[in-house]
Amino acid sequence: MNKKTVVVMEGDQTGQELLEESLRVLDPSVIGLDIELKRFDLSLENRRATQNQVVHEAAAAMKESGFGIKAATITPETPGDVGSPNAILRKGIDGTVIIRTGRRIPGVNPLPGIHAPISVVRMAVDDAYGAKEWREGEGLDEIAYRTEKITRRVCRGVAEFSFIQARKMRAKVFGGPKYTVSPVYEGMLKEEMDRAAAKNKDIRYEPQLIDATYALLLNSFGEPLVIPALNRDGDCLSDLVLQMFGSIAGSESLLISFDDEYNPQTVMAEAPHGTAPSLFGKNVANPMAMILAGAALLSFFHDEEAERASRAIYESTLEAIVEGFRTADLGGAAGTREFTDEVIRRVKTKIEVWSTLA
């Protein structure tokens, strides 16, 4: 494999601790791949010290290398502070979609009927986030306004990648926007979903309005699904879907930009959870989502060795859970490092055995 450079974006509190656990699994001595790590300190302290310049630098480096892995970071609530780095990173790499996949975690009870994985593919930009807002008038006559936008390019990226993901998962493309109420705005995404479906007739396609999507998800019969969504719809859907599986611990989050043919060009992996300040320094947090984020990133290297390492990490993580190595949030007693140690042991064993069978 040609040596890949992965941009590592350090974060805050427990987020940084779990990033380091993920990097332990990605060490060349574990997975057998020589990966160069280029680190950027995106902690709140350094973002303030650099006035977010470090975030712009990380985005530029990630766009150049094509790969990044990010720790959870603190978003200050004070107006005029540095804010969240996520918007800068998404803009910096021309991020188009965010994908999060809910999956069964052994020993964790999902909602009844939930068996197969469900991926939510949402817009990474535009829609309700970043919209212009203002108010006019006074008292009870005061009116609040908001101007939102979406682009056909982003809609097409969401639709195209949804069918790519569905083929990979052997899933059905399901759901969609409220295109009956909003045929011009939300209808644009529906048009692109229909367009992609016409090109991918081998993929099952069942468009639904967003409200029906929520309702039907709760009556799921275990079929794998991929749900394309607007930015805010997808944000809400992701939270629901991950919790349907009993915990967000078993999911990674991917931010992806595309080339002109809608092939992934830049991929940033992270966990869907936050910095968990109450767990900081206690060696009790669950590193599973960050470990899976690293595994997911490897799957975009387009290399046989990297694919093998990615599979080994996914399997080892879930097998460790099956055999009782669980952190407290999953009802176990394993510490953060202890869980990672067990995953590393299993990854090494798998890769060594598989290499003898090649």
Side-chain angles (χ1 to χ4, degrees):
M1 184 187 79
N2 293 329
K3 189 173 183 178
K4 306 292 187 184
T5 297
V6 174
V7 173
V8 176
M9 287 155 280
E10 300 172 350
D12 297 294
Q13 298 170 340
T14 310
Q16 177 60 24
E17 292 180 341
L18 299 184
L19 171 66
E20 297 298 344
E21 296 302 304
S22 177
L23 296 179
R24 288 177 59 208
V25 179
L26 295 178
D27 189 271
S29 66
V30 177
I31 61 174
L33 301 176
D34 188 13
I35 300 174
E36 179 182 354
L37 302 181
K38 189 171 184 180
R39 289 179 175 257
F40 291 84
D41 180 3
L42 266 59
S43 66
L44 178 58
E45 180 181 12
N46 198 46
R47 280 181 281 138
R48 283 172 170 164
T50 64
Q51 287 297 296
N52 275 334
Q53 181 59 34
V54 66
V55 185
H56 291 281
E57 292 171 358
M62 186 165 41
K63 189 171 184 179
E64 180 179 357
S65 73
F67 306 101
I69 186 166
K70 177 184 173 292
T73 50
I74 294 172
T75 299
E77 297 180 0
T78 305
D81 207 331
V82 289
S84 169
N86 293 332
I88 297 173
L89 293 172
R90 291 172 191 177
K91 183 177 180 180
I93 69 167
D94 298 319
T96 302
V97 305
I98 296 170
I99 177 170
R100 293 179 177 176
T101 301
R103 59 176 65 89
R104 288 287 301 271
I105 302 174
V108 177
N109 293 325
L111 290 181
I114 303 299
H115 302 288
I118 301 174
S119 288
V120 177
V121 180
R122 63 180 260 220
M123 297 177 177
V125 293
D126 294 338
D127 196 34
Y129 303 124
K132 180 182 178 182
E133 296 183 333
W134 71 98
R135 294 180 185 178
E136 296 178 0
E138 297 179 354
L140 295 180
D141 292 324
E142 186 178 19
I143 302 173
Y145 295 91
R146 180 168 67 197
T147 302
E148 303 174 6
K149 71 174 180 67
I150 55 176
T151 67
R152 187 166 294 278
R153 183 180 299 277
V154 172
C155 288
R156 184 163 297 181
V158 169
E160 293 284 343
F161 190 75
S162 293
F163 280 86
I164 292 171
Q165 181 71 6
R167 181 171 286 107
K168 178 181 177 181
M169 294 171 53
R170 300 180 181 177
K172 173 172 66 179
V173 176
F174 175 84
K178 191 83 169 180
Y179 54 89
T180 53
V181 172
S182 177
V184 175
Y185 183 90
E186 302 197 23
M188 185 181 287
L189 176 57
K190 176 61 163 50
E191 291 167 9
E192 290 300 325
M193 290 165 54
D194 291 345
R195 177 183 181 277
K199 293 169 48 185
N200 296 275
K201 293 186 181 297
D202 58 316
I203 304 297
R204 289 166 295 163
Y205 175 51
E206 186 180 322
Q208 297 284 350
L209 300 177
I210 184 62
D211 48 351
T213 300
Y214 276 105
L216 293 170
L217 274 175
L218 298 180
N219 293 315
S220 173
F221 291 99
E223 185 175 18
L225 303 173
V226 175
I227 307 174
L230 298 167
N231 199 344
R232 192 169 71 171
D233 286 349
D235 195 358
C236 298
L237 271 170
S238 296
D239 289 347
L240 172 70
V241 165
L242 299 191
Q243 287 298 335
M244 287 170 63
F245 288 88
S247 172
I248 66 172
S251 176
E252 66 281 356
S253 180
L254 300 173
L255 169 66
I256 305 175
S257 70
F258 302 108
D259 62 18
D260 292 338
E261 301 300 320
Y262 293 96
N263 299 305
Q265 189 171 49
T266 304
V267 181
M268 185 187 83
E270 59 183 330
H273 55 66
T275 59
S278 64
L279 305 180
F280 180 51
K282 297 179 180 178
N283 191 40
V284 296
N286 189 344
M288 186 177 177
M290 275 306 307
I291 290 173
L292 295 181
L297 192 65
L298 294 177
S299 70
F300 287 87
F301 281 16
H302 301 297
D303 175 85
E304 187 176 341
E305 288 183 84
E307 287 282 352
R308 186 164 59 243
S310 175
R311 179 184 172 187
I313 296 171
Y314 272 112
E315 290 187 5
S316 297
T317 303
L318 294 173
E319 287 172 3
I321 297 289
V322 168
E323 298 191 17
F325 288 87
R326 302 174 186 171
T327 47
D329 61 308
L330 299 183
T336 305
R337 289 189 63 83
E338 182 183 1
F339 180 83
T340 307
D341 288 342
E342 179 62 18
V343 172
I344 288 172
R345 183 187 71 79
R346 291 171 181 270
V347 170
K348 285 182 174 180
T349 299
K350 284 180 182 292
I351 290 178
E352 183 176 355
V353 170
W354 291 347
S355 67
T356 67
L357 300 175

